[in-house]
């Protein structure tokens, strides 16, 4: 009887849609759909303007200015590859964080690192912050090498595209830190799975967008 009452009480706090999914998951999928349109527009703009810059610095080619100053190719593939690896690892950490919350009542996950959701949430946040550090380093070095958002078409489209993505990563890091604070203060339970799940969906979306940006901007000349 008590179990039936508890199940009924838990059901009252979950609002399912006609699809059978929680309304929060429907909302995050709708949001991700709109964000896809935004990034498709930004990536398309970058590709339209690709190779149309009249003056350098250029992403993959050296350039000599009319005054004789030599500019090397601006993109640093090894550094960006490292930041991409860190961001991809953060997705793995997020999967493990969700798994830890989903198995809060599972004795196999008790008292070991796989069941420590605080550890995996903080690891994800640190990896995301590290990626932002790489991006700040890249932006700063570009400015020092003569490329700003006003320099040429490449600078305008590059800083706009990667800047918007960086803003999304920042929102994701703050969201994950909020979940960590909740976990630290009261402990996330199995009933909080949907909260971590929708954050994980957003985080994986941000990672997938970066893979597209890294491939189209950095790898394809």
């Amino acid at each position: 009887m008590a179990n039936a009452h508890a199940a009924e009480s838990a059901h009252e706090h979950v609002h399912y849609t006609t699809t059978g999914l929680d309304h929060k998951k429907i909302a995050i999928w709708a949001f991700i759909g709109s964000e896809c349109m935004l990034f498709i527009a930004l990536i398309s703009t970058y590709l339209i303007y690709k190779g149309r810059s009249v003056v350098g610095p250029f992403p993959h080619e050296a350039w000599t200015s009319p005054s004789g100053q030599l500019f090397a190719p601006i993109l640093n593939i090894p550094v960006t590859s490292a930041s991409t690896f860190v961001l991809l690892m953060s997705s793995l950490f997020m999967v493990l964080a969700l798994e830890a919350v989903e198995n809060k009542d599972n004795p196999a996950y008790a008292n070991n690192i796989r069941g420590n959701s605080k550890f995996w949430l903080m690891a994800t946040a640190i990896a995301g912050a590290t990626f932002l550090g790489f991006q700040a380093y890249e932006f700063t070095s570009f400015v020092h090498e003569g490329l700003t958002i006003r320099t040429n078409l490449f600078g305008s489209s590059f800083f706009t595209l990667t800047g918007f993505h960086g803003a999304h990563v920042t929102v994701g890091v703050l969201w994950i830190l909020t979940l960590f604070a909740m976990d630290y203060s009261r402990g996330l339970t199995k009933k909080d799975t949907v909260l971590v799940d929708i954050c994980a969906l957003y985080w994986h979306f941000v990672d997938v967008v970066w893979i597209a940006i890294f491939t189209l901007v950095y790898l394809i000349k």
Side-chain angles (χ1 to χ4, degrees):
M1 184 67 180
N3 290 337
H5 179 72
E8 183 180 348
S9 176
H11 181 73
E12 290 174 352
H13 291 85
V14 180
H15 303 285
Y16 292 103
T17 63
T18 55
T19 62
L21 296 174
D22 187 282
H23 71 286
K24 296 186 183 73
K25 292 194 74 170
I26 295 293
I28 193 67
W29 277 116
F31 174 73
I32 288 174
S34 65
E35 290 291 282
C36 284
M37 299 302 292
L38 169 66
F39 278 103
I40 287 173
L42 292 173
I43 292 173
S44 298
T45 302
Y46 175 84
L47 293 177
I48 289 171
Y49 287 135
K50 185 176 182 180
R52 297 192 176 189
S53 296
V54 178
V55 297
F58 299 123
H60 299 287
E61 304 85 18
W63 176 68
T64 304
S65 69
S67 62
Q69 184 179 3
L70 177 64
F71 292 88
I74 200 78
L75 295 181
N76 191 332
I77 305 299
V79 170
T80 312
S81 298
S83 69
T84 301
F85 175 76
V86 171
L87 194 62
L88 292 178
M89 289 303 297
S90 74
S91 261
L92 172 62
F93 298 153
M94 195 70 215
V95 169
L96 293 172
L98 177 60
E99 182 187 30
V101 175
E102 286 176 332
N103 291 278
K104 282 293 182 179
D105 302 330
N106 188 341
Y109 285 76
N111 300 321
N112 66 56
I113 196 168
R114 287 188 66 189
N116 192 337
S117 55
K118 297 184 188 70
F119 175 82
W120 296 118
L121 286 171
M122 181 52 71
T124 309
I126 290 174
T130 302
F131 174 83
L132 291 172
F134 272 112
Q135 192 169 54
Y137 166 79
E138 181 183 50
F139 283 8
T140 303
S141 64
F142 283 6
V143 170
H144 287 162
E145 293 175 32
L147 180 69
T148 69
I149 196 169
R150 297 180 177 180
T151 302
N152 54 23
L153 286 174
F154 167 69
S156 300
S157 55
F158 173 83
F159 280 110
T160 302
L161 174 59
T162 56
F164 264 101
H165 180 266
H168 281 70
V169 174
T170 303
V171 171
V173 170
L174 294 175
W175 192 349
I176 293 165
L177 288 175
T178 302
L179 289 175
F180 174 81
M182 291 172 60
D183 201 7
Y184 186 81
S185 61
R186 66 170 176 80
L188 294 176
T189 66
K190 196 171 181 179
K191 288 193 295 185
D192 298 310
T193 297
V194 69
L195 298 178
V196 182
D197 196 10
I198 59 175
C199 181
L201 285 172
Y202 175 84
W203 193 251
H204 296 321
F205 162 73
V206 168
D207 280 9
V208 169
V209 169
W210 180 253
I211 291 172
I213 293 174
F214 179 65
T215 303
L216 294 172
V217 175
Y218 291 85
L219 298 184
I220 298 178
K221 296 184 179 179

